[in-house]
Amino acid sequence: MTRRAIELLLLVALGAVWGWAQESPAITFAGALVGALAWTFLDGVRARRVLRWLNKGEATRAPNLGGVWGELVERCRKVIKKLEKKAQSSDARLEDFLAAIQASPNGVVLLDSSGRIEWSNLTAANQLGFDPQRDLGQYVRNLVRNPAFTAYLAGGDFGHEIQIDGPGPRPSQPTKISMQVHPYGKKRKLMITRDVTAVLLAEAMRRDFVANVSHEIRTPLTVLSGFVETMQSIPLEEADRTRYLDLMSQQAHRMQTLVSDLLTLSRLEGSPAPGPGEWIDAEELLSHVVQEAKGLTHAISPTPHEIERMTGPDLWVSGARTELLSAMSNLMSNAVRYTPGGGRIRSGWRLRADGWVEFFVSDTGPGIAAEHIPRLTERFYRVDRSRSRETGGTGLGLAIVKHVAQRHGGHIEVQSVLGEGSTFAIALPPARVRERVNG
Ligand code: ADP
């Protein structure tokens, strides 16, 4: 304050001295007045500089002033710096927060009071088919053109979620998106979206599976209870009784096989994959399943098949013995069951150039049309339904083979020519194979 007063006095005195030098009291007074005006002007210039700087609000470009203005500028500079720091840390927190929402597997869209997009993460944009940058500020109802969604937004009842079709990989394959709006703040809305395609698919598969199992069990059960009722109500000749009991036993056996295959599948799905611990003689597995197939062909076919065991490399394979045996014998029994009697079946191990090993079964059966091949390992998928039933098939054999192969790091391969025959193989990776050296 003193500095400003000294400046003012100095300028007034300077003006007065100049006026006094003119030897006129009036000019002396005028000189003092001009000095005072000059000081006011200079002070005004400083005030303007301060105001201009304050308007910009940048702490770094503070004007260099002395006296009370300098002090004022310094204090303001400190306050501005503090605010800048606070704003920076708020910005950083907001960035972190938005990055976290970006990383969310759920879609998040923020809508303003009139339903325009204020912010959206990439997940929501992909699920609903808009651009998270370009479409900011657009009305969401114009971007998501779905009658159910429009009615939901307009209805204002957000206590439940809705499901709509999202843009899928192809127009014929839309994804299913579940979404719910949560109102917040002043008429603002938070919209959460979720891709539920896989969940719905799994639910549909579970429903199909239950329906299939019920159907598979109901058929033999109906036959069985029909015979029971007949035997209870009508006195039967001994020959008829024996025939009925035989048929009943067949149906009971069919149910047993189905339940056993279902249990095998559920065990395969519910247990950890077998480690590489147990090394099994591949030839021993082969002779076991070949023996079994020879027994089966004599049991079901008037003219037995010619079953040939092919010689191959001398190998050990690692994995779960019971699982591998079950998968191999499923392939063998399919070959026997689907190839007409007298047909030729060959089976063995072969080592491929890439180090993988294959257990294969080829037959001279009816073959399988190409369109069926990708679906063969689906549960209850059958190409020849009646042949499968006649020969006691459950429709689960190849599903079991696929699971076993996958649990051992491998896969199932199918080659087939309609009318000529099929070759089924279980391919196992090099890590599961060891060639026997010196016996
Ligand atoms: P299933 O118990 O009915 O044999 P699988 O899962 O083992 O069930 O096989 C699925 C379907 O694949 C069979 O119903 C049959 O139509 C077809 N299939 C399997 N193996 C052969 C084969 N070697 N030759 C011709 N068709 C086969």
Side-chain angles (χ1 to χ4, degrees):
M1 202 62 182
T2 25
R3 188 173 158 169
R4 292 180 84 216
I6 293 169
E7 261 180 26
L8 172 64
L9 284 176
L10 250 170
L11 283 171
V12 170
L14 215 68
V17 167
W18 176 78
W20 179 70
Q22 309 306 312
E23 294 181 355
S24 156
I27 296 181
T28 307
F29 180 72
L33 201 67
V34 169
L37 284 174
W39 177 85
T40 312
F41 175 74
L42 277 178
D43 206 47
V45 168
R46 286 184 197 128
R48 281 210 72 76
R49 279 182 69 191
V50 172
L51 281 177
R52 215 177 299 135
W53 168 68
L54 281 176
N55 271 342
K56 285 191 180 153
E58 290 172 10
T60 43
R61 296 190 172 189
N64 191 7
L65 296 170
V68 72
W69 286 119
E71 205 176 314
L72 185 75
V73 164
E74 183 53 22
R75 286 192 187 177
C76 289
R77 199 185 61 78
K78 280 187 179 154
V79 173
I80 292 175
K81 193 130 199 193
K82 234 181 186 171
L83 289 176
E84 274 180 0
K85 258 195 177 157
K86 233 179 170 174
Q88 269 170 9
S89 99
S90 300
D91 279 356
R93 274 185 22 220
L94 183 66
E95 289 279 309
D96 283 352
F97 181 67
L98 292 181
I101 307 182
Q102 278 293 11
S104 156
N106 289 338
V108 179
V109 186
L110 301 181
L111 301 176
D112 69 10
S113 55
S114 49
R116 280 185 290 231
I117 299 174
E118 277 189 321
W119 187 86
S120 153
N121 69 356
L122 252 175
T123 313
N126 288 339
Q127 287 173 351
L128 300 176
F130 60 79
D131 188 309
Q133 298 298 325
R134 192 197 57 211
D135 292 332
L136 279 189
Q138 299 287 332
Y139 287 102
V140 71
R141 62 168 186 268
N142 292 344
L143 298 171
V144 183
R145 293 204 163 268
N146 180 290
F149 175 66
T150 313
Y152 178 68
L153 261 194
D157 173 14
F158 304 128
H160 60 100
E161 54 180 43
I162 56 160
Q163 279 171 12
I164 62 165
D165 283 349
R170 267 173 296 241
S172 59
Q173 240 180 302
T175 46
K176 283 281 174 201
I177 306 297
S178 155
M179 56 163 66
Q180 186 161 13
V181 166
H182 305 271
Y184 76 100
K186 283 189 184 159
K187 288 190 172 176
R188 292 200 148 125
K189 293 182 188 79
L190 166 73
M191 202 162 86
I192 306 283
T193 63
R194 243 169 355 115
D195 188 338
V196 289
T197 320
V199 178
L200 293 184
L201 203 72
E203 265 176 32
M205 276 168 71
R206 188 188 54 78
R207 273 197 306 273
D208 281 357
F209 181 67
V210 172
N212 275 323
V213 171
S214 315
H215 177 76
E216 294 290 332
I217 289 184
R218 199 176 48 202
T219 316
L221 214 53
T222 313
V223 179
L224 211 57
S225 58
F227 282 130
V228 169
E229 268 171 38
T230 314
M231 289 178 84
Q232 279 172 336
S233 50
I234 310 169
L236 292 170
E237 299 274 310
E238 187 54 29
D240 284 342
R241 215 176 78 89
T242 314
R243 195 164 56 85
Y244 280 21
L245 282 174
D246 270 356
L247 290 169
M248 287 166 76
S249 147
Q250 268 175 29
Q251 297 303 326
H253 182 71
R254 191 172 148 190
M255 282 199 288
Q256 264 174 348
T257 321
L258 178 67
V259 170
S260 146
D261 275 1
L262 283 171
L263 284 175
T264 305
L265 260 182
S266 101
R267 224 175 293 126
L268 290 176
E269 280 175 347
S271 61
E278 192 189 351
W279 286 94
I280 314 150
D281 185 349
E283 280 302 306
E284 182 212 318
L285 295 177
L286 178 64
S287 48
H288 187 108
V289 293
V290 167
Q291 261 338 95
E292 229 179 38
K294 283 184 177 162
L296 182 66
T297 182
H298 282 98
I300 66 167
S301 197
T303 38
H305 300 84
E306 182 194 317
I307 298 177
E308 199 177 342
R309 175 177 154 180
M310 309 301 286
T311 42
D314 203 359
L315 301 171
W316 296 91
V317 289
S318 97
R321 189 186 148 81
T322 42
E323 286 184 26
L324 289 171
L325 264 181
S326 141
M328 290 163 70
S329 73
N330 261 308
L331 293 188
M332 284 300 268
S333 99
N334 278 357
V336 173
R337 284 166 43 234
Y338 293 104
T339 306
R344 207 173 60 229
I345 294 166
R346 289 178 169 164
S347 177
W349 289 96
R350 60 182 164 223
L351 200 58
R352 296 196 321 209
D354 56 6
W356 282 60
V357 72
E358 260 179 17
F359 164 74
F360 68 92
V361 181
S362 14
D363 61 52
T364 53
I368 302 161
E371 71 263 25
H372 294 293
I373 291 181
R375 300 196 58 189
L376 287 181
T377 55
E378 284 175 24
R379 293 157 190 206
F380 300 114
Y381 189 84
R382 292 162 167 123
V383 183
D384 186 345
R385 193 161 284 273
S386 56
R387 178 97 188 127
S388 163
R389 292 250 161 78
E390 271 165 32
T391 56
T394 58
L396 296 173
L398 291 180
I400 293 176
V401 177
K402 181 180 107 175
H403 267 287
V404 171
Q406 284 180 345
R407 282 163 59 81
H408 286 78
H411 53 264
I412 175 170
E413 285 176 10
V414 186
Q415 282 169 351
S416 190
V417 179
L418 209 52
E420 287 184 21
S422 316
T423 299
F424 284 78
I426 299 170
L428 296 175
R432 293 267 180 198
V433 189
R434 204 188 268 169
E435 260 191 288
R436 198 201 310 255
V437 193
N438 301 330

